[in-house]
């Protein structure tokens, strides 16, 4: 992927994103029967199932075996329990060193998971971001706990970029619309572009991934649009390269050359008030259990 997607572009104008949907949650099992259980508070901030932890282990083995774990500069996670459990399980360090008292990424049995503690040694930094959480409203499975409840469970995750202690974004009677999710996704990628890290893992949710990627592919050929916008399976990984094509002297020619593999996306420039846009390109590879 690197040679095809990033060769023409300078390093400071591109980022590699490793997109992961969370592992199977208890609400996913219930939804296989019907949607009504999702409105029950029995699924509040749904945790990962035993099968979901197996999916996490499988994906962890993959990222270790292919060398991806050594390349990642930053892990970004949605601040919902199932996403954080997936993130720390997949992208944690390779092991523990005796005598070093680093706080764990996750404590023992976090979220009634019956899972042992996960160490934070030899791993990239982890941060939680509200912008990449699941569709907001109505379903309690998509409502988060307070930050003061999360911090003892995930001591090594940085929650400092979350402004509100309690979940003020989730409304019991208003469900976020598709276009609102897409707009939130655009804001997330605009913020992401301000980060200095170049290789970033993002652990998030199906609706967020679907509508964010769909928003990027509107101007492309149907075959190119459909490929990255397929529904993500639980614990599926897709890696993409985004490139700021404003760095190209002739972006029209380059775009035509790459369109068989890469579809264009648009991001608003955050540094101006005029609403100018920069064109990005994105190429996909994927892996799932």
């Amino acid at each position: 992927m690197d040679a095809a997607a990033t060769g023409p572009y300078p390093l400071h104008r591109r980022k590699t994103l490793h997109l992961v949907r969370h592992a199977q949650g208890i609400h996913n099992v219930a939804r296989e029967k019907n949607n009504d259980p999702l409105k029950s508070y029995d699924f509040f901030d749904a945790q990962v199932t035993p099968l979901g932890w197996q999916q996490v282990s499988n994906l962890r083995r993959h990222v270790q075996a292919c060398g991806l774990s050594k390349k990642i500069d930053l892990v970004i996670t949605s601040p919902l329990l199932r996403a954080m459990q997936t993130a720390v399980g997949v992208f944690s360090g390779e092991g523990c060193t005796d005598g070093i008292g680093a706080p764990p990424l996750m404590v023992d049995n976090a979220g009634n998971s019956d899972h042992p503690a996960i160490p934070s040694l030899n791993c990239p930094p982890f941060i939680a971001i509200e912008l990449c959480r699941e569709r907001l409203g109505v379903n309690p499975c998509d409502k988060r706990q307070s930050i003061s409840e999360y911090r003892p469970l995930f001591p090594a995750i940085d929650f400092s970029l979350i402004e509100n202690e309690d979940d003020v974004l989730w409304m019991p009677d208003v469900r976020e619309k598709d276009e609102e999710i897409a707009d939130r996704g655009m804001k997330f990628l605009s913020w992401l572009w301000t980060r200095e890290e170049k290789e970033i893992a993002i652990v998030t949710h199906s609706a967020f991934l679907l509508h964010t990627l769909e928003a990027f592919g509107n101007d492309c050929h149907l075959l190119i649009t459909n490929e990255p916008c397929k529904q993500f399976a639980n614990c599926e990984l897709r890696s993409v390269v985004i490139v700021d094509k404003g760095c190209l002297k002739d972006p029209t020619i380059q775009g035509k050359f790459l369109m068989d593999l890469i579809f264009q996306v648009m991001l608003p420039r955050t540094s101006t008030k005029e609403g100018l846009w920069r064109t990005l390109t994105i190429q996909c590879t994927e892996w799932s259990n």
Side-chain angles (χ1 to χ4, degrees), residues 195-211:
R195 302 285 307 188
E196 63 180 13
E197 296 89 359
K198 298 302 179 185
E199 193 124 1
I200 304 171
I202 301 166
V203 183
T204 178
H205 306 265
S206 59
F208 178 82
L209 288 164
L210 176 64
H211 296 297

Side-chain angles (χ1 to χ4, degrees), residues 81-224:
L81 181 60
R82 58 192 180 272
M84 293 189 291
Q85 288 176 324
T86 302
V88 300
V90 171
F91 297 108
S92 60
E94 296 179 5
C96 183
T97 302
D98 292 340
I100 298 181
L105 281 168
M106 188 182 84
V107 300
D108 184 68
N109 196 37
N112 298 316
S113 62
D114 196 28
H115 193 282
I118 297 175
S120 63
L121 295 172
N122 306 313
C123 69
F126 284 67
I127 60 175
I129 299 294
E130 294 266 38
L131 281 173
C132 66
R133 57 185 290 183
E134 183 58 294
R135 188 191 300 268
L136 299 166
V138 179
N139 292 342
C141 60
D142 301 327
K143 178 177 172 61
R144 70 165 172 83
Q145 302 174 47
S146 68
I147 299 304
S148 61
E149 290 175 294
Y150 282 146
R151 281 198 169 103
L153 301 179
F154 301 93
I157 292 182
D158 181 359
F159 294 96
S160 64
L161 295 181
I162 296 181
E163 297 181 359
N164 298 292
E165 161 71 12
D166 296 317
D167 190 355
V168 300
L169 300 177
W170 185 91
M171 301 295 177
D173 55 352
V174 179
R175 190 72 168 154
E176 191 176 22
K177 298 177 181 178
D178 293 351
E179 57 269 26
E180 292 172 330
I181 301 175
D183 181 64
R184 179 157 56 87
M186 297 289 276
K187 291 177 181 177
F188 173 73
L189 278 213
S190 295
W191 168 82
L192 198 66
W193 204 255
T194 68
R195 302 285 307 188
E196 63 180 13
E197 296 89 359
K198 298 302 179 185
E199 193 124 1
I200 304 171
I202 301 166
V203 183
T204 178
H205 306 265
S206 59
F208 178 82
L209 288 164
L210 176 64
H211 296 297
T212 299
L213 292 174
E214 279 184 343
F216 295 155
N218 288 337
D219 296 330
C220 300
H221 189 280
L222 184 61
L223 293 176
I224 299 171

Side-chain angles (χ1 to χ4, degrees), residues 7-132:
Y9 309 119
L11 182 61
H12 70 283
R13 294 287 191 165
R14 68 178 187 253
K15 293 182 186 291
T16 302
L17 309 182
H18 304 285
L19 307 175
V20 180
R21 182 191 176 192
H22 64 81
Q24 185 193 65
I26 58 172
H27 66 306
N28 295 133
V29 177
R31 192 171 186 178
E32 292 175 0
K33 301 175 182 178
N34 58 72
N35 283 329
D36 290 339
L38 298 187
K39 295 180 173 57
S40 169
Y41 269 85
D42 290 341
F43 301 100
F44 169 65
D45 195 16
Q47 74 266 26
V48 168
T49 66
L51 175 59
W53 281 110
Q54 293 178 28
Q55 295 170 340
V56 167
S57 296
N58 291 341
L59 184 53
R60 175 177 170 77
R61 284 194 295 270
H62 171 72
V63 300
Q64 294 280 336
C66 71
L68 177 59
S69 60
K70 297 183 182 298
K71 298 179 182 179
I72 293 175
D73 303 315
L74 176 69
V75 179
I76 296 174
T77 178
S78 155
L80 290 176
L81 181 60
R82 58 192 180 272
M84 293 189 291
Q85 288 176 324
T86 302
V88 300
V90 171
F91 297 108
S92 60
E94 296 179 5
C96 183
T97 302
D98 292 340
I100 298 181
L105 281 168
M106 188 182 84
V107 300
D108 184 68
N109 196 37
N112 298 316
S113 62
D114 196 28
H115 193 282
I118 297 175
S120 63
L121 295 172
N122 306 313
C123 69
F126 284 67
I127 60 175
I129 299 294
E130 294 266 38
L131 281 173
C132 66

Side-chain angles (χ1 to χ4, degrees), residues 234-277:
N234 285 121
C235 221
E236 180 179 356
L237 164 70
R238 298 182 197 172
S239 295
V240 302
V241 176
I242 60 173
V243 180
D244 185 345
K245 291 183 67 179
C247 68
L248 301 177
K249 294 182 180 179
D250 194 345
T252 301
I253 294 176
Q254 289 286 349
K256 290 180 179 177
F257 177 73
L258 295 173
M259 278 301 287
D260 284 343
L261 295 175
I262 298 174
F263 69 96
Q264 296 183 4
V265 300
M266 302 293 286
L267 283 181
R269 291 190 183 277
T270 57
S271 59
T272 67
K273 296 181 180 179
E274 292 78 16
L276 298 178
W277 295 79

